[in-house]
PDB file of all heavy atoms in Angstrom:
ATOM      1  N   LEU A  29       4.573  17.440 -15.751  1.00 98.00           N
ATOM      2  CA  LEU A  29       3.159  17.686 -15.634  1.00 98.00           C
ATOM      3  C   LEU A  29       2.909  19.209 -15.859  1.00 98.00           C
ATOM      4  O   LEU A  29       1.990  19.586 -16.551  1.00 98.00           O
ATOM      5  CB  LEU A  29       2.608  17.199 -14.320  1.00 98.00           C
ATOM      6  CG  LEU A  29       2.559  15.749 -14.096  1.00 98.00           C
ATOM      7  CD1 LEU A  29       2.261  15.405 -12.693  1.00 98.00           C
ATOM      8  CD2 LEU A  29       1.479  15.145 -14.980  1.00 98.00           C
ATOM      9  N   LEU A  30       3.715  20.043 -15.135  1.00 97.00           N
ATOM     10  CA  LEU A  30       3.479  21.443 -15.184  1.00 97.00           C
ATOM     11  C   LEU A  30       3.658  21.976 -16.612  1.00 97.00           C
ATOM     12  O   LEU A  30       2.948  22.823 -17.012  1.00 97.00           O
ATOM     13  CB  LEU A  30       4.411  22.135 -14.190  1.00 97.00           C
ATOM     14  CG  LEU A  30       4.165  21.790 -12.713  1.00 97.00           C
ATOM     15  CD1 LEU A  30       5.228  22.382 -11.831  1.00 97.00           C
ATOM     16  CD2 LEU A  30       2.778  22.166 -12.272  1.00 97.00           C
ATOM     17  N   ALA A  31       4.638  21.453 -17.343  1.00 97.00           N
ATOM     18  CA  ALA A  31       4.942  21.925 -18.657  1.00 97.00           C
ATOM     19  C   ALA A  31       3.731  21.606 -19.631  1.00 97.00           C
ATOM     20  O   ALA A  31       3.544  22.299 -20.653  1.00 97.00           O
ATOM     21  CB  ALA A  31       6.186  21.276 -19.242  1.00 97.00           C
ATOM     22  N   LEU A  32       2.945  20.630 -19.230  1.00 97.00           N
ATOM     23  CA  LEU A  32       1.774  20.256 -20.070  1.00 97.00           C
ATOM     24  C   LEU A  32       0.491  20.913 -19.638  1.00 97.00           C
ATOM     25  O   LEU A  32      -0.608  20.626 -20.051  1.00 97.00           O
ATOM     26  CB  LEU A  32       1.584  18.752 -20.172  1.00 97.00           C
ATOM     27  CG  LEU A  32       2.705  17.974 -20.884  1.00 97.00           C
ATOM     28  CD1 LEU A  32       2.627  16.477 -20.643  1.00 97.00           C
ATOM     29  CD2 LEU A  32       2.620  18.328 -22.426  1.00 97.00           C
ATOM     30  N   GLY A  33       0.623  21.825 -18.682  1.00 96.00           N
ATOM     31  CA  GLY A  33      -0.538  22.535 -18.151  1.00 96.00           C
ATOM     32  C   GLY A  33      -1.390  21.792 -17.132  1.00 96.00           C
ATOM     33  O   GLY A  33      -2.547  22.076 -16.918  1.00 96.00           O
ATOM     34  N   ALA A  34      -0.879  20.714 -16.596  1.00 97.00           N
ATOM     35  CA  ALA A  34      -1.616  19.923 -15.639  1.00 97.00           C
ATOM     36  C   ALA A  34      -1.848  20.727 -14.361  1.00 97.00           C
ATOM     37  O   ALA A  34      -1.129  21.612 -14.004  1.00 97.00           O
ATOM     38  CB  ALA A  34      -0.865  18.646 -15.290  1.00 97.00           C
ATOM     39  N   GLU A  35      -2.951  20.433 -13.689  1.00 96.00           N
ATOM     40  CA  GLU A  35      -3.299  21.035 -12.440  1.00 96.00           C
ATOM     41  C   GLU A  35      -3.558  20.037 -11.343  1.00 96.00           C
ATOM     42  O   GLU A  35      -4.175  18.944 -11.620  1.00 96.00           O
ATOM     43  CB  GLU A  35      -4.521  21.906 -12.661  1.00 96.00           C
ATOM     44  CG  GLU A  35      -4.360  23.067 -13.566  1.00 96.00           C
ATOM     45  CD  GLU A  35      -5.636  23.911 -13.798  1.00 96.00           C
ATOM     46  OE1 GLU A  35      -6.613  23.669 -13.044  1.00 96.00           O
ATOM     47  OE2 GLU A  35      -5.627  24.809 -14.634  1.00 96.00           O
ATOM     48  N   LEU A  36      -3.003  20.298 -10.161  1.00 97.00           N
ATOM     49  CA  LEU A  36      -3.212  19.390  -9.053  1.00 97.00           C
ATOM     50  C   LEU A  36      -4.691  19.474  -8.586  1.00 97.00           C
ATOM     51  O   LEU A  36      -5.208  20.594  -8.377  1.00 97.00           O
ATOM     52  CB  LEU A  36      -2.261  19.850  -7.868  1.00 97.00           C
ATOM     53  CG  LEU A  36      -2.393  18.951  -6.616  1.00 97.00           C
ATOM     54  CD1 LEU A  36      -1.998  17.515  -6.887  1.00 97.00           C
ATOM     55  CD2 LEU A  36      -1.546  19.571  -5.519  1.00 97.00           C
ATOM     56  N   VAL A  37      -5.311  18.278  -8.510  1.00 96.00           N
ATOM     57  CA  VAL A  37      -6.720  18.238  -7.998  1.00 96.00           C
ATOM     58  C   VAL A  37      -6.682  18.061  -6.549  1.00 96.00           C
ATOM     59  O   VAL A  37      -7.403  18.742  -5.787  1.00 96.00           O
ATOM     60  CB  VAL A  37      -7.489  17.082  -8.779  1.00 96.00           C
ATOM     61  CG1 VAL A  37      -8.879  16.959  -8.186  1.00 96.00           C
ATOM     62  CG2 VAL A  37      -7.503  17.298 -10.268  1.00 96.00           C
ATOM     63  N   ARG A  38      -5.894  17.039  -6.066  1.00 97.00           N
ATOM     64  CA  ARG A  38      -5.876  16.768  -4.646  1.00 97.00           C
ATOM     65  C   ARG A  38      -4.872  15.705  -4.289  1.00 97.00           C
ATOM     66  O   ARG A  38      -4.445  14.958  -5.112  1.00 97.00           O
ATOM     67  CB  ARG A  38      -7.252  16.221  -4.164  1.00 97.00           C
ATOM     68  CG  ARG A  38      -7.649  14.886  -4.598  1.00 97.00           C
ATOM     69  CD  ARG A  38      -9.019  14.379  -4.132  1.00 97.00           C
ATOM     70  NE  ARG A  38      -9.362  13.075  -4.581  1.00 97.00           N
ATOM     71  CZ  ARG A  38      -9.870  12.799  -5.771  1.00 97.00           C
ATOM     72  NH1 ARG A  38     -10.111  13.742  -6.657  1.00 97.00           N
ATOM     73  NH2 ARG A  38     -10.139  11.538  -6.149  1.00 97.00           N
ATOM     74  N   ALA A  39      -4.469  15.741  -3.018  1.00 98.00           N
ATOM     75  CA  ALA A  39      -3.705  14.538  -2.508  1.00 98.00           C
ATOM     76  C   ALA A  39      -4.705  13.552  -2.045  1.00 98.00           C
ATOM     77  O   ALA A  39      -5.819  13.859  -1.608  1.00 98.00           O
ATOM     78  CB  ALA A  39      -2.888  15.043  -1.288  1.00 98.00           C
ATOM     79  N   ASP A  40      -4.384  12.244  -2.161  1.00 98.00           N
ATOM     80  CA  ASP A  40      -5.331  11.184  -1.817  1.00 98.00           C
ATOM     81  C   ASP A  40      -4.516   9.930  -1.436  1.00 98.00           C
ATOM     82  O   ASP A  40      -3.277  10.003  -1.270  1.00 98.00           O
ATOM     83  CB  ASP A  40      -6.197  10.914  -3.016  1.00 98.00           C
ATOM     84  CG  ASP A  40      -7.595  10.260  -2.659  1.00 98.00           C
ATOM     85  OD1 ASP A  40      -7.661   9.561  -1.592  1.00 98.00           O
ATOM     86  OD2 ASP A  40      -8.539  10.461  -3.408  1.00 98.00           O
ATOM     87  N   LYS A  41      -5.192   8.840  -1.259  1.00 98.00           N
ATOM     88  CA  LYS A  41      -4.606   7.556  -1.020  1.00 98.00           C
ATOM     89  C   LYS A  41      -5.221   6.588  -1.960  1.00 98.00           C
ATOM     90  O   LYS A  41      -6.411   6.747  -2.367  1.00 98.00           O
ATOM     91  CB  LYS A  41      -4.807   7.082   0.428  1.00 98.00           C
ATOM     92  CG  LYS A  41      -3.971   7.793   1.498  1.00 98.00           C
ATOM     93  CD  LYS A  41      -4.205   7.214   2.838  1.00 98.00           C
ATOM     94  CE  LYS A  41      -3.368   7.829   3.888  1.00 98.00           C
ATOM     95  NZ  LYS A  41      -1.882   7.498   3.725  1.00 98.00           N
ATOM     96  N   THR A  42      -4.533   5.522  -2.306  1.00 98.00           N
ATOM     97  CA  THR A  42      -5.127   4.450  -3.044  1.00 98.00           C
ATOM     98  C   THR A  42      -5.999   3.662  -2.071  1.00 98.00           C
ATOM     99  O   THR A  42      -5.838   3.762  -0.820  1.00 98.00           O
ATOM    100  CB  THR A  42      -4.084   3.451  -3.629  1.00 98.00           C
ATOM    101  OG1 THR A  42      -3.444   2.797  -2.535  1.00 98.00           O
ATOM    102  CG2 THR A  42      -3.052   4.197  -4.487  1.00 98.00           C
ATOM    103  N   GLY A  43      -6.842   2.847  -2.651  1.00 98.00           N
ATOM    104  CA  GLY A  43      -7.524   1.815  -1.801  1.00 98.00           C
ATOM    105  C   GLY A  43      -6.435   0.849  -1.301  1.00 98.00           C
ATOM    106  O   GLY A  43      -5.299   0.843  -1.819  1.00 98.00           O
ATOM    107  N   PRO A  44      -6.716   0.084  -0.293  1.00 98.00           N
ATOM    108  CA  PRO A  44      -5.686  -0.844   0.270  1.00 98.00           C
ATOM    109  C   PRO A  44      -5.490  -2.110  -0.585  1.00 98.00           C
ATOM    110  O   PRO A  44      -5.639  -3.245  -0.145  1.00 98.00           O
ATOM    111  CB  PRO A  44      -6.271  -1.194   1.633  1.00 98.00           C
ATOM    112  CG  PRO A  44      -7.746  -1.181   1.437  1.00 98.00           C
ATOM    113  CD  PRO A  44      -7.976  -0.011   0.437  1.00 98.00           C
ATOM    114  N   LEU A  45      -5.097  -1.886  -1.809  1.00 98.00           N
ATOM    115  CA  LEU A  45      -4.955  -2.896  -2.824  1.00 98.00           C
ATOM    116  C   LEU A  45      -3.524  -3.061  -3.407  1.00 98.00           C
ATOM    117  O   LEU A  45      -3.307  -3.837  -4.305  1.00 98.00           O
ATOM    118  CB  LEU A  45      -5.911  -2.661  -3.951  1.00 98.00           C
ATOM    119  CG  LEU A  45      -7.370  -2.484  -3.626  1.00 98.00           C
ATOM    120  CD1 LEU A  45      -8.164  -1.925  -4.824  1.00 98.00           C
ATOM    121  CD2 LEU A  45      -7.959  -3.816  -3.138  1.00 98.00           C
ATOM    122  N   TYR A  46      -2.613  -2.256  -2.939  1.00 98.00           N
ATOM    123  CA  TYR A  46      -1.290  -2.044  -3.676  1.00 98.00           C
ATOM    124  C   TYR A  46      -0.106  -2.305  -2.726  1.00 98.00           C
ATOM    125  O   TYR A  46      -0.170  -2.186  -1.508  1.00 98.00           O
ATOM    126  CB  TYR A  46      -1.275  -0.636  -4.223  1.00 98.00           C
ATOM    127  CG  TYR A  46      -2.327  -0.324  -5.163  1.00 98.00           C
ATOM    128  CD1 TYR A  46      -3.570   0.229  -4.760  1.00 98.00           C
ATOM    129  CD2 TYR A  46      -2.192  -0.656  -6.581  1.00 98.00           C
ATOM    130  CE1 TYR A  46      -4.609   0.432  -5.678  1.00 98.00           C
ATOM    131  CE2 TYR A  46      -3.248  -0.384  -7.380  1.00 98.00           C
ATOM    132  CZ  TYR A  46      -4.373   0.148  -7.031  1.00 98.00           C
ATOM    133  OH  TYR A  46      -5.468   0.367  -7.900  1.00 98.00           O
ATOM    134  N   ARG A  47       1.046  -2.568  -3.379  1.00 98.00           N
ATOM    135  CA  ARG A  47       2.315  -2.574  -2.727  1.00 98.00           C
ATOM    136  C   ARG A  47       3.127  -1.583  -3.578  1.00 98.00           C
ATOM    137  O   ARG A  47       2.988  -1.400  -4.739  1.00 98.00           O
ATOM    138  CB  ARG A  47       2.998  -3.992  -2.819  1.00 98.00           C
ATOM    139  CG  ARG A  47       2.212  -5.083  -2.164  1.00 98.00           C
ATOM    140  CD  ARG A  47       1.965  -5.022  -0.747  1.00 98.00           C
ATOM    141  NE  ARG A  47       3.122  -5.076   0.095  1.00 98.00           N
ATOM    142  CZ  ARG A  47       3.107  -4.995   1.403  1.00 98.00           C
ATOM    143  NH1 ARG A  47       1.894  -4.886   2.005  1.00 98.00           N
ATOM    144  NH2 ARG A  47       4.179  -5.031   2.163  1.00 98.00           N
ATOM    145  N   LEU A  48       4.078  -0.890  -2.814  1.00 98.00           N
ATOM    146  CA  LEU A  48       4.982   0.097  -3.436  1.00 98.00           C
ATOM    147  C   LEU A  48       6.380  -0.394  -3.394  1.00 98.00           C
ATOM    148  O   LEU A  48       6.807  -0.867  -2.296  1.00 98.00           O
ATOM    149  CB  LEU A  48       4.777   1.392  -2.721  1.00 98.00           C
ATOM    150  CG  LEU A  48       5.462   2.667  -3.361  1.00 98.00           C
ATOM    151  CD1 LEU A  48       4.830   3.008  -4.688  1.00 98.00           C
ATOM    152  CD2 LEU A  48       5.360   3.847  -2.481  1.00 98.00           C
ATOM    153  N   TYR A  49       7.130  -0.290  -4.420  1.00 98.00           N
ATOM    154  CA  TYR A  49       8.470  -0.839  -4.553  1.00 98.00           C
ATOM    155  C   TYR A  49       9.415   0.334  -5.020  1.00 98.00           C
ATOM    156  O   TYR A  49       9.047   1.107  -5.903  1.00 98.00           O
ATOM    157  CB  TYR A  49       8.572  -1.985  -5.550  1.00 98.00           C
ATOM    158  CG  TYR A  49       7.772  -3.170  -5.068  1.00 98.00           C
ATOM    159  CD1 TYR A  49       6.405  -3.296  -5.343  1.00 98.00           C
ATOM    160  CD2 TYR A  49       8.378  -4.206  -4.310  1.00 98.00           C
ATOM    161  CE1 TYR A  49       5.691  -4.367  -4.978  1.00 98.00           C
ATOM    162  CE2 TYR A  49       7.646  -5.264  -3.894  1.00 98.00           C
ATOM    163  CZ  TYR A  49       6.276  -5.370  -4.259  1.00 98.00           C
ATOM    164  OH  TYR A  49       5.542  -6.447  -3.769  1.00 98.00           O
ATOM    165  N   ASP A  50      10.630   0.266  -4.460  1.00 98.00           N
ATOM    166  CA  ASP A  50      11.711   1.215  -4.880  1.00 98.00           C
ATOM    167  C   ASP A  50      12.342   0.491  -6.068  1.00 98.00           C
ATOM    168  O   ASP A  50      13.003  -0.599  -5.931  1.00 98.00           O
ATOM    169  CB  ASP A  50      12.681   1.400  -3.783  1.00 98.00           C
ATOM    170  CG  ASP A  50      13.769   2.401  -4.181  1.00 98.00           C
ATOM    171  OD1 ASP A  50      13.849   2.837  -5.233  1.00 98.00           O
ATOM    172  OD2 ASP A  50      14.619   2.663  -3.290  1.00 98.00           O
ATOM    173  N   LEU A  51      12.192   1.038  -7.325  1.00 97.00           N
ATOM    174  CA  LEU A  51      12.705   0.329  -8.493  1.00 97.00           C
ATOM    175  C   LEU A  51      14.191   0.525  -8.630  1.00 97.00           C
ATOM    176  O   LEU A  51      14.663   1.660  -8.672  1.00 97.00           O
ATOM    177  CB  LEU A  51      11.967   0.861  -9.781  1.00 97.00           C
ATOM    178  CG  LEU A  51      10.502   0.704  -9.814  1.00 97.00           C
ATOM    179  CD1 LEU A  51       9.895   1.303 -11.044  1.00 97.00           C
ATOM    180  CD2 LEU A  51      10.070  -0.769  -9.729  1.00 97.00           C
ATOM    181  N   PRO A  52      14.969  -0.564  -8.593  1.00 94.00           N
ATOM    182  CA  PRO A  52      16.405  -0.439  -8.697  1.00 94.00           C
ATOM    183  C   PRO A  52      16.868   0.204 -10.000  1.00 94.00           C
ATOM    184  O   PRO A  52      16.216  -0.040 -11.052  1.00 94.00           O
ATOM    185  CB  PRO A  52      16.896  -1.898  -8.554  1.00 94.00           C
ATOM    186  CG  PRO A  52      15.757  -2.767  -8.960  1.00 94.00           C
ATOM    187  CD  PRO A  52      14.484  -1.963  -8.609  1.00 94.00           C
ATOM    188  N   ASP A  53      17.910   0.927  -9.915  1.00 90.00           N
ATOM    189  CA  ASP A  53      18.543   1.562 -11.104  1.00 90.00           C
ATOM    190  C   ASP A  53      17.701   2.503 -11.852  1.00 90.00           C
ATOM    191  O   ASP A  53      18.018   2.974 -12.975  1.00 90.00           O
ATOM    192  CB  ASP A  53      18.979   0.516 -12.132  1.00 90.00           C
ATOM    193  CG  ASP A  53      19.942  -0.545 -11.476  1.00 90.00           C
ATOM    194  OD1 ASP A  53      20.781  -0.120 -10.616  1.00 90.00           O
ATOM    195  OD2 ASP A  53      19.799  -1.770 -11.750  1.00 90.00           O
ATOM    196  N   ALA A  54      16.532   2.997 -11.272  1.00 94.00           N
ATOM    197  CA  ALA A  54      15.752   4.004 -11.937  1.00 94.00           C
ATOM    198  C   ALA A  54      16.384   5.404 -11.722  1.00 94.00           C
ATOM    199  O   ALA A  54      16.924   5.695 -10.664  1.00 94.00           O
ATOM    200  CB  ALA A  54      14.339   4.032 -11.366  1.00 94.00           C
ATOM    201  N   GLU A  55      16.486   6.161 -12.791  1.00 94.00           N
ATOM    202  CA  GLU A  55      17.085   7.492 -12.731  1.00 94.00           C
ATOM    203  C   GLU A  55      16.171   8.530 -13.343  1.00 94.00           C
ATOM    204  O   GLU A  55      15.866   8.361 -14.553  1.00 94.00           O
ATOM    205  CB  GLU A  55      18.443   7.444 -13.428  1.00 94.00           C
ATOM    206  CG  GLU A  55      19.254   8.699 -13.146  1.00 94.00           C
ATOM    207  CD  GLU A  55      19.449   9.055 -11.643  1.00 94.00           C
ATOM    208  OE1 GLU A  55      19.688   8.146 -10.783  1.00 94.00           O
ATOM    209  OE2 GLU A  55      19.263  10.206 -11.315  1.00 94.00           O
ATOM    210  N   PRO A  56      15.635   9.475 -12.688  1.00 96.00           N
ATOM    211  CA  PRO A  56      15.808   9.662 -11.157  1.00 96.00           C
ATOM    212  C   PRO A  56      15.083   8.502 -10.480  1.00 96.00           C
ATOM    213  O   PRO A  56      14.330   7.738 -11.075  1.00 96.00           O
ATOM    214  CB  PRO A  56      15.093  10.989 -10.972  1.00 96.00           C
ATOM    215  CG  PRO A  56      14.029  11.099 -11.984  1.00 96.00           C
ATOM    216  CD  PRO A  56      14.642  10.480 -13.230  1.00 96.00           C
TER     217      PRO A  56
END
Side-chain angles (χ1 to χ4, degrees):
L29 290 170
L30 297 174
L32 291 170
E35 295 180 9
L36 179 63
V37 175
R38 69 180 181 278
D40 205 333
K41 288 185 175 289
T42 66
L45 305 169
Y46 299 91
R47 303 297 297 179
L48 190 66
Y49 296 87
D50 184 356
L51 299 177
D53 304 321
E55 191 54 44

